[in-house]
Amino acid sequence: MDPATAPWWTRATAYQIYPRSFADSDGDGIGDIPGIVSKLDYLERLGVGFVWLSPVYASPMCDNGYDIADYRAIAAEFGTMEDMDRLIAEARARGIGIVMDLVVNHTSSEHEWFRSATGGPDAPYRNYYVWRDPAPDGGPPNDLESSFGGPAWSLDPGGSGQYYLHLFDPGQPDLNWHNPRMRADIHATMNWWLDRGIAGFRMDVIDLIGKEVDEGVTANGPHLHAHIREMMAATAQGRDIVTVGEAWSATPENALLYCGRDRDALSMVFQFAHVTRFWDDAHGKWEPHPIELTGLKAVFDRWQAALSDDGWNSLFWSNHDLPRAVSTYGDAREWRVRSAKMLATVLHLMKGTPYIYQGEELGMTNAGFDDISQYRDVETLNQHRLMRAADMSEAEFLAGARRSSRDNARTPMQWTDGPEAGFTTGTPWIGVNPNHATINAAAQEDDPDSVLAYYRHLVRLRREHDIVVFGSYTPIAPDHPNVFVYRRDLEGRALVVVANWTAEEVAFDPPGGMEAEGRCLVGNVAPRTRIDGTVTLAPYEAFAILYEPD
Ligand code: GLC
């Protein structure tokens, strides 16, 4: 990527807002758009370039808005279209773009299209969804499973006897991407939003829209990239937007199909190889394996290499579907602050666009729930039912959920040490983490040693140093089990990033050629300007040194 012509989003850091849990302005216990507007100064101070806003559209909320009933209306609990327009305008005035979540693999079963599609083959909009006759025994047409557990097929509520496809909850029927009329309606909706001034789209499970269900193919289907390119041709022409494709199935081999420069496709791919690497073959995220650093580094190294000259990476530790970063990769107790900063250092100085998930910049931790009644997430509750029926004990399930449930990331944003963490004056829809007494934005706001201050600094480094944005990436000591080290190079300058991934002191012998004195750009223990000879790193220590020619 040529710095002179690179798009704006290459220098930007993204911030993800899960509206339900961000800030509640009216005391109903649910975060809302006016609440977000009231926190824009906070985001401006953090320095982020765009906000990925999880869905705020009209929805029965069976999956907290990832089940959309009307693409052109705002859910009453989140506010009004006027609030939305105000958010777009006020964010823009602070140099922040609003990126909407585009959930078009499926709609809600309460979308008007689906309501008119039920009942029989001649129903209007029938062909907007995926219908199949039952198997000879009357059961589902095939054995495709929903990501939330159980069959991916449910009977037509209109009584036709056919089944409809839902790769997620039965309340999320899959759209039929073979239908050009449906596709044109989606494109029109995208243009409608872009004309309102949003900065782009994050595209939910976009790798599923090319599915061929009769062949059992869901991800990465044969027409996937044709659909993406058609969509971009119909919406992105002449607009300077950012488009981010969520693709659990993306590989280093096919990533450029999503975001290669000459593809007229997406800005970047949002893939999960570093996450799924530690999932269990049989039980997935519910029984994760311990994080092992050389394996983790190998994933990042591969992806950095795959998109080194073309394409663009999304960089993230957490989002609304994943447990909290510091609880998963760091030490949420003794070394919480330092390990949160270490994780941020490693991620934010790589090549790609970093994503901060709300609260990560405070070092927020997992929810710590110990009873199933505290959980709200449809996936967690489904899995609980299924795994209990399959003989898993309650204690075992709860242990898995404490580590992996999506609700770990969905407890309210911790603004203050006051009642309900300053998130709401009412009763929050999901429990607030009691550790807001010590972990909260107010306490960190003016503290130069806070996790928040550290994140602000990293965001600024990306804006100020081309080498952070465009420098090439080379792993150093990839086989070292305890340190994460890499360098970036751009036009004779070098940036070396060193991190101790453990709670112990670790000795690291840098390779030759690093004897020079450099400039410390960031560090979570004490500034370091040299790494010649053996370096003894403090627990979770991380730093970055910039070397510039005289
Ligand atoms: C994506 C979303 C997730 C949602 C699913 C179905 O993975 O991030 O929250 O449940 O798609 O829309």
Side-chain angles (χ1 to χ4, degrees):
M1 188 96 57
D2 174 2
T5 55
W8 62 274
W9 41 261
T10 54
R11 287 186 172 80
T13 298
Y15 189 87
Q16 185 194 351
I17 290 183
Y18 196 67
R20 220 178 166 72
S21 303
F22 191 64
D24 174 22
S25 71
D26 60 4
D28 67 355
I30 296 173
D32 48 43
I33 296 170
I36 299 172
V37 173
S38 75
K39 300 297 183 186
L40 284 172
D41 290 341
Y42 172 86
L43 296 178
E44 183 180 20
R45 203 165 165 209
L46 184 52
V48 299
F50 64 96
V51 163
W52 153 21
L53 186 64
S54 278
V56 290
Y57 315 88
S59 162
M61 303 284 166
C62 89
D63 188 17
N64 290 351
Y66 283 90
D67 47 324
I68 298 173
D70 185 345
Y71 289 105
R72 301 188 191 195
I74 300 294
E77 60 213 279
F78 291 147
T80 62
M81 196 57 78
E82 270 172 20
D83 293 331
M84 189 65 214
D85 287 339
R86 196 156 56 90
L87 172 61
I88 295 169
E90 296 217 6
R92 187 151 297 249
R94 291 167 176 82
I96 301 172
I98 297 291
V99 167
M100 293 291 272
D101 213 318
L102 183 77
V103 188
V104 292
N105 173 67
H106 44 267
T107 67
S108 162
S109 53
E110 295 192 14
H111 194 288
E112 168 195 316
W113 293 341
F114 189 74
R115 287 161 174 271
S116 351
T118 66
D122 298 328
Y125 291 98
R126 185 73 169 180
N127 202 23
Y128 272 45
Y129 296 89
V130 182
W131 305 92
R132 292 290 183 275
D133 289 330
D137 67 358
N142 64 26
D143 55 11
L144 274 180
E145 293 213 354
S146 148
S147 293
F148 293 161
W153 298 96
S154 289
L155 274 171
D156 181 353
S160 70
Q162 284 197 310
Y163 282 84
Y164 70 92
L165 178 76
H166 54 85
L167 293 177
F168 295 90
D169 191 74
Q172 294 166 298
D174 276 57
L175 285 166
N176 173 18
W177 278 81
H178 287 295
N179 179 350
R181 232 182 85 208
M182 188 289 291
R183 299 202 302 271
D185 270 347
I186 297 293
H187 303 158
T189 298
M190 292 171 70
N191 280 318
W192 187 86
W193 275 106
L194 290 167
D195 290 343
R196 288 196 105 84
I198 64 168
F201 292 105
R202 175 267 183 182
M203 302 179 174
D204 192 64
V205 291
I206 202 69
D207 58 335
L208 301 183
I209 66 173
K211 67 186 84 80
E212 289 294 339
V213 277
D214 300 315
E215 272 93 80
V217 174
T218 53
N220 200 23
H223 301 294
L224 168 62
H225 294 287
H227 291 331
I228 292 178
R229 294 175 60 157
E230 179 193 62
M231 179 188 262
M232 288 300 101
T235 60
Q237 298 304 316
R239 304 192 198 255
D240 190 10
I241 58 174
V242 62
T243 50
V244 187
E246 185 199 25
W248 288 78
S249 72
T251 63
E253 289 72 37
N254 68 26
L256 288 177
L257 295 175
Y258 291 90
C259 60
R261 202 169 18 239
D262 302 322
R263 296 275 310 161
D264 297 322
L266 307 181
S267 311
M268 64 186 101
V269 60
F270 197 98
Q271 55 75 30
F272 295 82
H274 61 297
V275 174
T276 53
R277 159 109 201 181
F278 301 100
W279 286 7
D280 184 63
D281 283 346
H283 300 285
K285 68 182 188 183
W286 303 97
E287 285 183 19
H289 301 210
I291 310 280
E292 175 264 317
L293 183 62
T294 51
L296 183 77
K297 288 192 290 185
V299 175
F300 279 104
D301 294 349
R302 274 188 79 200
W303 277 92
Q304 289 286 307
L307 304 185
S308 59
D309 300 322
D310 191 8
W312 198 252
N313 274 300
S314 306
L315 308 169
F316 64 97
W317 291 123
S318 42
N319 72 11
H320 66 296
D321 294 328
L322 302 173
R324 288 283 177 184
V326 72
S327 302
T328 307
Y329 302 98
D331 176 343
R333 296 179 188 281
E334 193 182 348
W335 299 107
R336 187 185 61 80
V337 169
R338 198 187 289 172
S339 66
K341 293 177 181 176
M342 182 280 285
L343 291 168
T345 312
V346 167
L347 195 81
H348 282 244
L349 298 178
M350 283 188 193
K351 187 168 182 174
T353 296
Y355 286 71
I356 303 169
Y357 176 69
Q358 65 183 45
E360 181 189 318
E361 77 280 16
L362 306 175
M364 275 179 62
T365 67
N366 277 350
F369 292 158
D370 50 21
D371 193 283
I372 192 67
S373 65
Q374 294 171 289
Y375 288 95
R376 301 285 177 270
D377 170 33
V378 58
E379 179 189 49
T380 307
L381 299 176
N382 273 347
Q383 291 295 342
H384 177 249
R385 198 167 30 76
L386 292 166
M387 291 188 175
R388 292 290 280 128
D391 280 346
M392 184 181 270
S393 74
E394 186 75 5
E396 233 181 314
F397 181 82
L398 288 173
R402 261 177 98 95
R403 269 193 310 255
S404 304
S405 168
R406 304 195 298 180
D407 279 343
N408 283 306
R410 298 177 180 184
T411 61
M413 181 73 179
Q414 294 168 200
W415 294 108
T416 70
D417 63 1
E420 310 301 357
F423 161 72
T424 180
T425 54
T427 305
W429 69 278
I430 188 170
V432 165
N433 194 317
N435 68 17
H436 72 272
T438 50
I439 306 172
N440 64 73
Q444 299 189 28
E445 185 62 41
D446 298 314
D447 173 1
D449 293 325
S450 65
V451 181
L452 179 59
Y454 199 87
Y455 267 82
R456 285 179 186 144
H457 182 66
L458 286 169
V459 172
R460 197 163 52 238
L461 286 181
R462 176 164 293 272
R463 289 219 184 270
E464 288 174 357
H465 294 272
D466 271 2
I467 193 169
V468 175
V469 184
F470 304 108
S472 64
Y473 173 98
T474 311
I476 294 179
D479 298 324
H480 196 301
N482 299 321
V483 297
F484 201 141
V485 185
Y486 60 84
R487 64 182 281 165
R488 308 281 310 277
D489 286 274
L490 187 72
E491 292 159 2
R493 276 163 288 153
L495 176 68
V496 176
V497 179
V498 179
N500 175 1
W501 194 261
T502 75
E504 319 294 328
E505 273 192 356
V506 166
F508 168 62
D509 289 307
M514 291 196 180
E515 291 77 20
E517 174 85 10
R519 176 149 72 95
C520 187
L521 285 193
V522 66
N524 66 354
V525 176
R528 289 194 190 247
T529 55
R530 302 186 80 91
I531 37 175
D532 48 348
T534 302
V535 183
T536 303
L537 300 168
Y540 290 112
E541 178 172 1
F543 59 88
I545 301 180
L546 178 65
Y547 301 89
E548 289 172 298
D550 299 332

